[in-house]
Amino acid sequence: MSAEATARPHTTPWRRLAADRIARWVVSAGGLAIIVSILGILVFILVEVAPLLTAARVTVDRKIPLAGAAPGALLSDEHRTHVAALGAEGRVRVIRLSDGQTVATRDLLAEPAELVDLQVPPESSALAASTRDGRVVIAPVTFQITFDAQNRVVSPEISEPVVLEVDPLGRPLQSFAAQIDEEGSATTAAALADGTITVVRRSVTHNEMTGETGEETVRTSAPVSYRVTHLALDADQKNLYGGTAGGEILWWHLEEGQIGPVQAASAGTAPITALALLIGGRSLVVGQGNGTLSVWMPVSKAEDADAASGDERLTRIRDFPPQSGAIRLISPSPRRKGFLALSDRELGLYHSTSHRTLWTGPSPLPGARALGTSPKDDGAFLAGHGTLASLALRNPHPETTWRTLFGKVWYEGYDHADHVWQSTGGSDDFEPKLSLTPLLFGTLKGTLYSLILAIPLGVFGAMYVSQFMHPGYKRYVKPLVEIMASLPSVVLGFLAGLWLAPRIEHAVPSLLLALFVLPVLVLLTGAAWNRLPRTFRGRFPAGTEAFLFVVVLALGIWLCFSLRQPFEHLAFAGDFRSWLLHAVGLSYDQRNALVVGLAMGFAVIPIIFAIAEDAFTNVPQNLVAGSLALGADRWQTVTRVVLPTASPGIFSAVMVGFGRAVGETMIVLMATGNTPIMDWNPFNGFRTLSANIAVEIPEAPHGDTLYRTLFLAALLLFVLTFLVNTVAELVRQRLRERYSQL
Amino acid sequence: MTADTLQPQRDPALEPEIKDPIILRVEALSLWYGEKKALKEISLKIPEKQITAFIGPSGCGKSTLLRCINRLNDLIDGVRVEGDIVFNGASIFDPRIEINALRKRIGMVFQKSNPFPKSIYENVAYGPRIQGIKRKRDLDEIVEKSLKGAALWDEVKDRLDESALGMSGGQQQRLCIARAIAVEPEVILFDEPCSALDPIATARIEELMQDLKSQYTQVIVTHNMQQASRVSDLTAFLYLGELIEYGPTERIFINPMKKQTEDYITGRFG
């Protein structure tokens, strides 16, 4: 024997070593890649969600010395390059922020006049003021943007001011509010020294045919018993709000130039010192002499939301932490339901919907007399004591808090606080309602209704197949169920939404009938079969009796469907849907939880069945034999030994089915109607987290609060399925340990 | 059909003289697993309150024969039986017979201990509960009696509520015996009950079998010839599905009549 031959058995061939090592690397790399990609998805979602939590910041960009009288009203362009400031001497100055130069000026009135009350009308690009002799001046300011080669050129333009004579006797106005629309129609409301509220409306009509422009001025007055110190007029020029020195808030409707009856509400004894409408004109922010800040809305008294506006009452919705001194100025955001509030020494940034105090700090310009927010809500301006301060607001997601995501919020136009998902509306001043609770509810509702169907069918089906079915047929069942699992859910959703839903709509009475008829029929057949003589039964090959039940079930279903009309007539007064609405008070949607339960149940059954069947089959045969040897029959053995032993596996099956139902998208997207309502009614639709993401992500602007909230929904879904699957896996591990002892 | 008509002349190697009353009579029993004939016309008589051992090499059909006695072979797909087993004068294959009642009367202890994943108490109470005994007092009594009968009571009386899976292998097997005698069977079948146990645990089981002899007819299948010679009164030697020799244990082991028997017990094959 050569030396080489003897050495060979002690060394492993290098080929095998290399193959071994490569295989180990490939397997490890594959496993790691999966872990890394899942973590990567999680990190990506977290990165998208995290900005929702960033705190707002207010910083001073620059301070510019101002010439002339202290301005009382400020307007800026979209890019925060220029500010138009209106001073008490009646001159508008446009100041370039980059170098503090005044680039344009215009005197609003031909004669020198002293302005007493200066303001920016809400949701407008105009400056307004009242004069000492009882007039109101409104001057629209526009910033034209042109591009000169690569450079943006902003050219401010101050239009011809509208002057309205309010007090014919030329007395100073106690307070006023003004509005102007794009055509130049202007309205002003003022509290006059004679104790009336006077509304002057100048409408401009433009005749397309003749090219003529007509003007019409209407003046109405109504006496008022309160001393009105502040007024606010909404953008529609329909609602007028007032604040008094006694702490009352007043509300008038302006209809066709008429002043409606006044409605008063008390905000406490402290005088109202500032009044502003948030965009949309439904929320009124009230600042008082003691620093109190509150938000008020007209709320319908009646249950019916469509009630006439006459039934609405001005209601105090929420309070913000008070500032240390009297609130001097409130500047609503031109984009969102937020506002800035300024007292003598403090500045605060707030958001109404989320009830958040986003930022508070010392006023950068103590004693400032003018406050303005930039059109994009990314900056603010303060003026006073010969200085203009430009502030930068970093406030990307003021709408989101735990409360808005999961709690009840009192939204504009609602008569109570509620969970609502409504991400977009018809107009820009829409208040986004981003509560995830209805979506979580929808997810759980869909899951529940599908599991109600899938758990019994999956588990008992698995029990029957593994424990009772003739082994000859068993091997056909599993592949069939696997085919069921391989159906794409989009096909199921499509069938459920377009084919099943309209049929179910007519067949609900039959389904209800079947709920009672089929079990009874099956039990009767079983009992009858057992009564038949053994010799007769012996003629059928073992296991074929199962097919008898197929025939019986088919017969039962046919019976239920053919009995629909008499049954509907008898039980539901001829029409199930109207009976449901009138007798039970439930409405019926065509795409509802029942349809989803059937379709998603169909998708979940194979999963539950497969895992449960394994769990049943994995129960050691010697346990079954042990039980039978003690004189137990099959049923006793299955219920007392097999079922308890397989229960962790069945639990695991249910959990995996649950996880599947929670994450399912296409079926719920197509068969639920996607109405985000919270109602357990099986005949209503719902909207799930997953379907919501699918529906809304194409419309969500990148980086927007809605976009990030959708990612938060994804994170929630991720966490939910992760938890469910982890619990299922832990239970399966325990199950394995338990079996290893058997 | 009786054994006499099939085998007119009595073969002393197959038909020993038995004085005790016969409880089980296997008559020309043949069994097929599909096409394969696993048992070939086996006839033997098992006397009451004695221990009968089936020995033979692996695959000789001894376990199959044992499982025919309580009809556990019914569970296996494709099994076909000819011939008969008469238990207390009635055929166990009679279609009118309640198979569960038969299994209650003929208990079984398996090769691998198979306690249910329940408490010790529930394991023993399982059979009586199946029989419809519900009163806690009656069940307590049966559990105590059965555990005492299986010589397990003193070891487990303080932990009846603990899982049976926490017991040692020998204890588990005695628990299975306690579980079997809780339903008061007439016959207990042992299918290689000690093959997974250490010698000390084996000795305790064998001792227990001797104690049970006064009350129960016992049939044991074993690989271990020493065990057969130690515990049994009668021994049947099976080979390739055929009954080769059946007689008093002492005679089989000291003075076998057939050459195959002798070869097997002296260890020349098996």
Side-chain angles (χ1 to χ4, degrees), chain A residues 741, chain B residues 109-115 150 152 155 164 167-177 190-209 220-224 227 230:
Chain A
Q741 292 183 344
Chain B
V109 175
F110 294 81
Q111 178 172 10
K112 194 168 179 292
S113 60
N114 58 350
L152 199 57
E155 291 165 55
M167 304 167 91
S168 74
Q171 284 176 325
Q172 286 191 3
Q173 196 59 297
R174 276 182 285 145
L175 179 68
C176 292
I177 294 172
F190 291 88
D191 189 0
E192 302 188 35
C194 303
S195 65
L197 300 182
D198 63 59
I200 295 167
T202 302
R204 298 203 65 167
I205 301 278
E206 288 176 6
E207 208 178 299
L208 181 58
M209 289 180 76
I220 179 170
V221 162
T222 178
H223 252 114
N224 182 330
Q227 185 172 51
R230 278 196 302 265

Side-chain angles (χ1 to χ4, degrees), chain A residues 207-500:
Chain A
N207 192 325
E208 296 283 339
M209 303 294 284
T210 58
E212 279 173 28
T213 304
E215 250 190 61
E216 190 193 5
T217 305
V218 182
R219 164 193 297 272
T220 44
S221 280
V224 60
S225 53
Y226 300 93
R227 208 178 104 71
V228 180
T229 55
H230 289 82
L231 283 168
L233 184 61
D234 69 358
D236 293 342
Q237 311 177 8
K238 290 249 174 75
N239 290 284
L240 177 68
Y241 301 90
T244 72
E248 286 102 357
I249 301 171
L250 311 173
W251 179 28
W252 297 268
H253 282 289
L254 307 181
E255 298 282 351
E256 302 293 322
Q258 295 298 312
I259 302 174
V262 66
Q263 193 189 101
S266 173
T269 52
I272 307 294
T273 53
L275 210 54
L277 282 164
L278 297 184
I279 53 158
R282 297 284 298 178
S283 296
L284 182 71
V285 186
V286 177
Q288 285 173 276
N290 56 1
T292 310
L293 264 176
S294 51
V295 173
W296 296 64
M297 293 177 199
V299 171
S300 172
K301 271 189 298 183
E303 288 284 280
D304 190 359
D306 298 328
S309 54
D311 285 343
E312 290 181 326
R313 285 213 82 75
L314 202 58
T315 308
R316 189 175 193 143
I317 302 296
R318 49 182 80 93
D319 272 277
F320 289 93
Q323 293 195 357
S324 54
I327 305 292
R328 294 291 169 209
L329 294 160
I330 294 171
S331 170
S333 157
R335 292 228 155 168
R336 310 184 259 231
K337 306 285 174 182
F339 59 93
L340 278 164
L342 179 77
S343 60
D344 285 334
R345 284 188 299 275
E346 234 182 304
L347 178 69
L349 180 61
Y350 305 87
H351 194 269
S352 170
T353 313
S354 62
H355 198 180
R356 268 174 91 183
T357 304
L358 299 159
W359 183 88
T360 52
S363 167
L365 211 60
R369 308 300 302 276
L371 173 68
T373 310
S374 73
K376 278 190 169 171
D377 201 24
D378 56 352
F381 304 94
L382 280 173
H385 302 304
T387 312
L388 175 72
S390 164
L391 312 179
L393 309 181
R394 201 176 147 277
N395 177 26
H397 305 291
E399 302 94 335
T400 312
T401 59
W402 286 113
R403 185 209 289 269
T404 58
L405 289 174
F406 300 105
K408 288 190 172 181
V409 174
W410 199 328
Y411 297 104
E412 291 177 352
Y414 281 67
D415 57 5
H416 60 278
D418 208 350
H419 303 284
V420 183
W421 174 276
Q422 193 184 354
S423 58
T424 46
S427 60
D428 290 343
D429 56 32
F430 172 77
E431 183 176 38
K433 302 166 185 70
L434 304 178
S435 175
L436 294 179
T437 311
L439 307 177
L440 261 176
F441 178 91
T443 303
L444 293 179
K445 182 181 175 186
T447 306
L448 181 89
Y449 279 102
S450 59
L451 288 187
I452 281 178
L453 181 82
I455 290 176
L457 279 179
V459 171
F460 290 123
M463 189 201 251
Y464 176 77
V465 168
S466 76
Q467 301 296 317
F468 296 98
M469 189 179 241
H470 193 270
Y473 301 110
K474 210 189 271 191
R475 63 197 146 132
Y476 297 111
V477 172
K478 276 198 122 177
L480 265 176
V481 172
E482 269 154 29
I483 289 174
M484 204 170 147
S486 68
L487 265 180
S489 63
V490 65
V491 174
L492 282 178
F494 168 77
L495 284 176
L498 297 179
W499 180 82
L500 189 63

